[in-house]
Amino acid sequence: MATNIYENNNPGNITYWSKKGVVGVDYYLGKKGSEIKYKKFNTKAEGLSAILDTMYKYANTDIDKIMESYASTDKSGKVVKNYGEKLRNTYNIAKDVNYDDNEQLIEIMKGITHWENSTNSQDYKKHYLDKDYDDALKMFQEKRLLDRGTVSEQIKDAEMQGLNLNG
């Protein structure tokens, strides 16, 4: 039987913040009796990419500080202590996140998926495969690429990274 994490493609336990006038964003409630709302994603790649999107929006590269913010909304009392340090030590991640280092970003997604889901079960390793992480990384880098530079610079960068901007 799949849990909410798998059914809703949210391995990073990304919370949902309602905004007035925003339509089409769906959410689910955490464990029974919980008031915490979590985002639903259509695909595994969208949910995994949301981990990086969330980190990137903090405009910080220090993994310890990023993870302090990332986990700050956890009202369950099960927040991972020293989250950034555990990611660094377990997944050999540098203290400073380099958003251009695809290998590091994949390890970060894998690490967060592990820490957010390991207390539930180890089944997440069967649900989230290397292809899912690769697709998520590509999605994240494409969004990030479109947020910067001129069109010709974006195309050149995309070609260098092997990204497809034609859909």
Side-chain angles (χ1 to χ4, degrees):
M1 180 175 131
T3 67
N4 280 346
I5 292 163
Y6 308 127
E7 291 169 355
N8 297 302
N9 298 307
N10 191 349
N13 287 322
I14 307 296
T15 53
Y16 168 84
W17 296 92
S18 61
K19 295 179 186 175
K20 291 184 179 184
V22 175
V23 229
V25 177
D26 209 358
Y27 68 88
Y28 64 97
L29 292 175
K31 293 182 179 178
K32 193 173 184 175
S34 173
E35 302 273 331
I36 301 173
K37 295 178 182 177
Y38 295 94
K39 287 184 182 179
K40 283 186 182 181
F41 297 98
N42 294 318
T43 66
K44 292 177 187 181
E46 283 180 17
L48 288 166
S49 178
I51 292 170
L52 298 176
D53 295 338
T54 301
M55 290 175 52
Y56 192 67
K57 79 176 182 185
Y58 296 133
N60 197 325
T61 59
D62 181 317
I63 192 71
D64 296 336
K65 291 185 187 324
I66 290 169
M67 297 319 294
E68 283 175 20
S69 297
Y70 186 98
S72 67
T73 60
D74 188 337
K75 310 280 190 262
S76 69
K78 296 180 183 176
V79 67
V80 178
K81 302 287 185 223
N82 302 315
Y83 206 149
E85 181 182 347
K86 287 184 179 176
L87 283 174
R88 286 188 287 114
N89 293 337
T90 306
Y91 288 89
N92 197 27
I93 295 168
K95 186 161 172 57
D96 287 323
V97 176
N98 177 354
Y99 289 101
D100 293 320
D101 183 341
N102 291 341
E103 287 180 31
Q104 182 189 46
L105 296 178
I106 285 178
E107 288 305 307
I108 289 170
M109 285 188 289
K110 286 181 176 181
I112 290 173
T113 299
H114 167 79
W115 289 109
E116 293 292 326
N117 300 289
S118 61
T119 57
N120 297 327
S121 72
Q122 291 288 330
D123 285 344
Y124 71 89
K125 289 182 179 180
K126 296 175 191 168
H127 288 275
Y128 293 96
L129 307 174
D130 287 342
K131 181 187 181 334
D132 300 318
Y133 291 103
D134 291 341
D135 291 347
L137 176 66
K138 192 175 216 179
M139 185 180 293
F140 169 74
Q141 292 296 23
E142 286 174 351
K143 284 185 276 187
R144 191 169 154 250
L145 183 63
L146 292 172
D147 286 342
R148 62 181 184 198
T150 65
V151 171
S152 61
E153 290 170 334
Q154 292 172 15
I155 292 170
K156 183 179 178 181
D157 285 348
E159 288 171 349
M160 288 175 50
Q161 294 183 34
L163 303 176
N164 178 7
L165 297 180
N166 295 325

